[in-house]
Amino acid sequence: MSRVGRINHLILMAIVMLAPTGGVQAQLLSPGKLAEAHRVLEGVRNCTNCHELRTRGASNIKCLACHEPLQNRVSQQQGFHASTKVTGEDCGSCHKDHFGRDFQMVRLDTTDFEHSEVGFGLVESHRELDCRDCHKAALVTATDVRAFKGKYGALDRTFLGAENTCVGCHTADDPHEKQFPRRGCEDCHGEVAWEEAERFDHNKTRYRLTGLHRRVDCEGCHESIRRGRNEAYVQYVGIEFAGCESCHDDVHEGQLGKRCTDCHTTGGWHRIARRSAFEEGFDHEATDFSLLGKHAELECADCHGTPPAQGEWLLIRYQPRTRELTYPHPVADDCVSCHRDYHRSVFAETPGGIACDNCHNEDVWAPAEYDIERHNRESSFELTGAHVAAPCFVCHESPDDTGKATQFRVDADDCESCHQPDDPHEAQFPGEPCDDCHDTQSWRIAVFDHSQTDYPLDGEHKNVPCEPCHEQVTLADGAAFVRYKPLDTACGDCHGGG
């Protein structure tokens, strides 16, 4: 191309670029037609409505300035666009434009979308729904979304504006005929099935259920009624419960007054209400269990309470057919019918077995009536000498150091089992029992037969005290003991050379 041709070409390009309007200019600057939703922004003069000069891509600030409902939610940290997956991203990275009128700018993979990120997790039955079952024009309740999307006819395409409360979607499904205007469905119902009311607690209503009322089916008090042509509904509000006679017929025909509670309780018609008067005049001697000692000081409810009394060492069991009575009958065959075996079956094989009254009485639990004579007669370890004066707990201490349960079974009967910490010989006599030298009267040895050792004493050695040969030795840790063996027995070892 000649020089003149190149100049003419550049002039033509400048004319095209400087033209104020026209399809040629738009074609040169825009990568393609805008989507239908942004059609009103078509044209070169509208570019800065979405773009910043000399900046690639759409401006988030400009996008949100136009999409005010979304801007409101982002500023309040609500919804998907305020989540960590979106924060900091360019709007254009997800919502592409300039790909033609039919291009869908919102491309949501519903199979991979985590609904909990918008503040409403889908659980149970909600997981089975299609997105548009909830996100449809009829259920868009937010006024700003209805105004914005309605202006452009996009209410059926938005995912904004739906409530996250039950009544936001289920107003038409209310089976209670507006009996609970100030309560949410979730106060009683879960998301598995409407028919269940697993969260309902009748004790939070004005009528607490007690006694046998807890076993009555809901239909027994809440009947299904029909109002006009409407479908039948169950009446929950406005049930009369001023007195028992609201539901129950008076079998006494008014002869005993109108207050059933003067005599009865909800535990059953056979139960007695005036317990204090009854208890004051009751003679327990007429039963098979006389109240003696500490038992006479107990309140009736201590043994005849509901539920039965129990604790670490107490467990009252009732005769099955009496559990519903005002005063259920405890099983009282023996002490362990009510009192747990404190000794953990240690005495199961002893005369009398585990019965508490073998050693205790009803006046006081301790001291026990198990004395030294019984110990020597019934146990395998006879108490003699200093052992007679030893308190029981010295040998029968608690196995876990809690003191809650004394250990009465002592399987070992040799000295070392108890006196190992008291060994003054520092293990000089391993395997040799203490009673080879000592007895239970005293640790001090009255007479020791040295002829039984490897060094019999003869001559003047018989008159030598023990200490010159058996000296006290002090260990590095400060512990001291008398050295009995090994000792050198040569004359020179003690008397020196001569």
Side-chain angles (χ1 to χ4, degrees):
M1 179 183 294
S2 66
R3 180 178 180 184
V4 174
R6 287 197 301 272
I7 293 174
N8 290 336
H9 177 73
L10 292 173
I11 293 174
L12 177 61
M13 290 295 295
I15 293 173
V16 172
M17 293 295 293
L18 294 176
T21 59
V24 175
Q25 183 187 35
Q27 188 68 25
L28 289 174
L29 296 180
S30 174
K33 291 288 185 180
L34 294 173
E36 183 64 28
H38 289 163
R39 182 173 187 171
V40 296
L41 299 175
E42 193 73 65
V44 176
R45 293 183 178 181
N46 294 323
C47 294
T48 54
N49 286 334
C50 301
H51 301 278
E52 296 284 355
L53 294 176
R54 294 182 299 279
T55 302
R56 183 179 180 84
S59 166
N60 286 2
I61 296 177
K62 290 180 178 290
C63 290
L64 292 176
C66 182
H67 293 271
E68 292 184 5
L70 188 57
Q71 183 185 44
N72 294 336
R73 284 152 181 78
V74 172
S75 64
Q76 296 173 14
Q77 293 297 305
Q78 297 177 353
F80 176 71
H81 287 83
S83 68
T84 55
K85 281 192 175 182
V86 180
T87 302
E89 295 291 333
D90 180 8
C91 297
S93 63
C94 295
H95 304 291
K96 306 294 184 181
D97 208 341
H98 291 292
F99 286 97
R101 292 284 188 263
D102 296 331
F103 184 74
Q104 296 297 319
M105 296 184 64
V106 178
R107 293 175 175 268
L108 178 64
D109 183 3
T110 59
T111 61
D112 190 43
F113 183 74
E114 183 53 57
H115 210 283
S116 60
E117 295 178 354
V118 300
F120 188 86
L122 299 182
V123 298
E124 303 298 346
S125 299
H126 283 156
R127 291 182 179 273
E128 303 172 6
L129 300 176
D130 183 75
C131 297
R132 289 303 175 191
D133 288 337
C134 298
H135 295 287
K136 53 187 176 183
L139 297 181
V140 176
T141 58
T143 55
D144 58 342
V145 177
R146 290 199 69 86
F148 183 82
K149 294 295 183 179
K151 178 180 178 181
Y152 300 103
L155 278 173
D156 59 343
R157 297 197 303 273
T158 184
F159 289 97
L160 295 177
E163 287 192 31
N164 61 358
T165 62
C166 301
V167 294
C169 294
H170 298 284
T171 301
D173 304 326
D174 180 15
H176 302 309
E177 286 291 321
K178 301 181 180 179
Q179 295 181 82
F180 308 105
R182 291 182 296 277
R183 288 191 174 276
C185 307
E186 64 277 6
D187 288 347
C188 300
H189 300 277
E191 296 174 81
V192 179
W194 282 111
E195 293 77 8
E196 302 294 333
E198 65 270 23
R199 298 176 183 172
F200 176 72
D201 183 0
H202 210 293
N203 288 336
K204 293 183 179 180
T205 69
R206 291 191 299 146
Y207 190 81
R208 294 174 59 86
L209 297 182
T210 60
L212 296 181
H213 285 164
R214 295 174 181 169
R215 303 181 184 179
V216 178
D217 292 333
C218 302
E219 294 79 4
C221 300
H222 300 283
E223 300 178 348
S224 180
I225 62 175
R226 184 177 298 277
R227 179 178 298 170
R229 296 183 178 180
N230 295 339
E231 293 185 3
Y233 70 96
V234 179
Q235 183 180 4
Y236 291 105
V237 177
I239 303 295
E240 181 62 38
F241 58 90
C244 302
E245 65 278 3
S246 297
C247 297
H248 300 281
D249 295 331
D250 180 10
V251 296
H252 305 300
E253 298 180 351
Q255 298 181 25
L256 301 179
K258 294 185 177 181
R259 294 204 320 173
C260 305
T261 53
D262 286 347
C263 299
H264 302 281
T265 71
T266 56
W269 288 115
H270 58 281
R271 305 201 64 169
I272 302 171
R274 291 184 175 181
R275 298 182 60 160
S276 58
F278 174 79
E279 292 174 4
E280 289 176 2
F282 183 74
D283 182 12
H284 213 284
E285 292 295 324
T287 70
D288 295 330
F289 191 89
S290 298
L291 299 181
L292 304 174
K294 291 294 183 181
H295 284 156
E297 302 175 9
L298 299 175
E299 297 291 336
C300 298
D302 291 337
C303 298
H304 301 281
T306 306
Q310 57 181 306
E312 185 174 11
W313 301 114
L314 182 69
L315 176 60
I316 295 180
R317 295 175 292 116
Y318 292 147
Q319 297 176 20
R321 295 184 179 180
T322 70
R323 289 173 182 168
E324 299 301 324
L325 299 177
T326 303
Y327 297 94
H329 301 170
V331 176
D333 299 330
D334 49 33
C335 301
V336 292
S337 295
C338 296
H339 300 276
R340 299 181 196 266
D341 181 11
Y342 177 86
H343 304 303
R344 306 182 191 277
S345 299
V346 168
F347 298 106
E349 298 179 1
T350 62
I354 63 175
C356 304
D357 54 6
N358 283 335
C359 302
H360 306 276
N361 58 57
E362 295 172 278
D363 293 321
V364 62
W365 186 256
E369 297 175 354
Y370 189 91
D371 55 16
I372 294 176
E373 181 183 351
R374 287 186 61 182
H375 193 289
N376 291 343
R377 184 176 68 251
E378 298 177 10
S379 74
S380 60
F381 189 86
E382 183 178 359
L383 300 179
T384 61
H387 284 162
V388 174
C392 302
F393 62 83
V394 172
C395 299
H396 300 285
E397 58 184 357
S398 172
D400 54 6
D401 296 326
T402 63
K404 291 184 177 181
T406 303
Q407 176 60 270
F408 285 96
R409 183 187 297 279
V410 179
D411 294 325
D413 57 1
D414 58 303
C415 304
E416 291 82 357
S417 296
C418 292
H419 297 285
Q420 184 66 36
D422 305 323
D423 179 16
H425 303 309
E426 288 292 327
Q428 294 179 81
F429 304 103
E432 299 182 33
C434 302
D435 54 7
D436 280 358
C437 300
H438 303 275
D439 58 32
T440 58
Q441 297 296 330
S442 171
W443 280 112
R444 183 175 296 276
I445 302 174
V447 178
F448 180 75
D449 186 3
H450 215 286
S451 64
Q452 300 299 315
T453 69
D454 295 334
Y455 191 81
L457 299 180
D458 55 8
E460 290 297 324
H461 283 167
K462 295 180 180 180
N463 300 322
V464 178
C466 303
E467 290 78 8
C469 297
H470 299 287
E471 299 178 341
Q472 180 169 288
V473 178
T474 302
L475 300 177
D477 60 0
F481 70 98
V482 177
R483 171 77 69 184
Y484 288 102
K485 67 176 184 179
L487 292 178
D488 295 325
T489 58
C491 299
D493 293 329
C494 294
H495 298 287

